[in-house]
Amino acid sequence: MHRRIPAQALRGSDKLMLEVPIPDMLRRPMGQLAPANVCDLVALAECDDCPRALKEGLDKFVERTAKEVTDIPPGTLFEGFLDELAEIEAGRVPSTYRTWMATQADERQNERLGNLVQAWAEVEPEVFTFGQRTVKVEHRTAAAASPATSLSRPTTGKGRAKAATPKVAGAKKASTAAKRANKPPADPARVKLILTLVMDRLDESSAKGLSEIVLIAGIRHRAKDHDCNGVSLAEVTSVLRDLKKQERVHYSAGRWTSLRRW
């Protein structure tokens, strides 16, 4: 029997360094990994800047792990699983993982897991971040810089150009921020489909409605049946906000209900 490998510090690591421990982790079943690391791997799979060398393996890991979660038998094993989940910081739990747990809470009618999912919903999932290897760069800079040349070098046009470099870098950052701000508008057909799925789901529910996390998980799952893959948490949330403004739905205590007045 294989033992669980120790928890790894994955978040904040350099991309190249991640390619050392992760391939072995992706080959292992969920039970042999620290629960927090399972969340880290799922978060990395969600990341747009995920290293190409790891992307395929991560996608397969996410698909397999989703099935492993479903296969955890009820009783002592599942309760032990929940004990470990409760120890993970809410921000560390990615959207995909939250969707899995919301579905399990609904299908298993597990109040404890439902409460845990609700607690996660109050905290935005943290994006997987990467570190940078800066030590070698600093050593090269120190070796290349000569005290004599730095003191005696006259202030030439070339030198002034170097001094202006930070402004250019700032301009690049401003340009990047502008690109992010000018995102393309949402696809009307996609929004309409999500809206229809939301209202159908709420109209099917009881007078108590559905908890937000369960509703969102259900919509993202149903969208796949309509050839609309990759519906994000933000897309569904945006539609729900619009419906609320139109007074077609009501939100209270973490639950959504249909007003059925339209």
Side-chain angles (χ1 to χ4, degrees):
M1 179 178 179
H2 295 285
R3 294 183 178 180
R4 173 178 290 178
I5 64 175
Q8 306 289 310
L10 301 180
R11 291 178 183 256
S13 296
D14 174 75
K15 288 184 179 180
L16 290 178
M17 295 300 295
L18 287 174
E19 295 181 18
V20 177
I22 286 184
D24 176 61
M25 299 175 73
L26 297 180
R27 290 190 289 268
R28 294 174 178 266
M30 180 181 67
Q32 292 181 17
L33 302 175
N37 277 162
V38 175
C39 288
D40 294 339
L41 293 173
V42 175
L44 179 57
E46 293 179 346
C47 183
D48 293 335
D49 201 22
C50 173
R52 293 183 180 179
L54 300 174
K55 183 59 178 174
E56 183 178 355
L58 283 165
D59 289 343
K60 291 180 179 179
F61 173 82
V62 170
E63 182 179 355
R64 190 189 75 233
T65 304
K67 296 178 181 178
E68 292 180 4
V69 169
T70 303
D71 292 340
I72 300 176
T76 304
L77 284 178
F78 194 75
E79 289 302 314
F81 174 66
L82 296 186
D83 288 340
E84 293 185 320
L85 286 187
E87 296 177 359
I88 302 176
E89 296 179 4
R92 197 169 180 176
V93 184
S95 297
T96 300
Y97 201 93
R98 296 181 183 199
T99 299
W100 294 345
M101 295 304 111
T103 301
Q104 289 301 304
D106 192 32
E107 293 180 352
R108 295 175 186 252
Q109 295 296 299
N110 190 298
E111 183 178 357
R112 182 185 177 191
L113 180 55
N115 291 336
L116 185 58
V117 170
Q118 290 285 0
W120 291 341
E122 297 176 0
V123 181
E124 284 294 321
E126 298 171 0
V127 177
F128 192 102
T129 55
F130 303 96
Q132 296 180 353
R133 294 183 298 171
T134 58
V135 177
K136 289 185 178 180
V137 176
E138 290 175 357
H139 280 307
R140 287 174 184 172
T141 303
S146 170
T149 54
S150 61
L151 290 174
S152 60
R153 182 178 299 160
T155 305
T156 61
K158 187 176 182 180
R160 286 193 295 271
K162 289 184 177 180
T165 300
K167 295 182 179 180
V168 175
K172 289 183 178 179
K173 290 182 178 179
S175 177
T176 301
K179 290 180 180 179
R180 291 177 179 174
N182 297 324
K183 292 183 178 179
D187 181 358
R190 190 178 177 91
V191 172
K192 183 177 180 180
L193 173 62
I194 296 173
L195 186 151
T196 301
L197 293 176
V198 167
M199 296 310 305
D200 286 348
R201 188 77 175 90
L202 290 178
D203 287 342
E204 293 171 358
S205 65
S206 65
K208 294 182 179 179
L210 294 169
S211 67
E212 182 173 74
I213 195 68
V214 171
L215 174 61
I216 293 175
I219 298 307
R220 296 178 70 182
H221 179 73
R222 288 191 178 192
K224 297 179 181 179
D225 297 332
H226 295 267
D227 296 325
C228 187
N229 295 328
V231 170
S232 68
L233 175 68
E235 286 180 295
V236 182
T237 302
S238 176
V239 169
L240 286 170
R241 284 200 300 265
D242 289 341
L243 287 171
K244 184 180 178 182
K245 290 179 181 178
Q246 298 169 22
E247 297 185 351
R248 295 167 67 174
V249 297
H250 177 68
Y251 179 78
S252 177
R255 303 184 72 84
W256 290 89
T257 55
S258 171
L259 295 179
R260 298 184 177 88
R261 298 187 309 192
W262 53 283

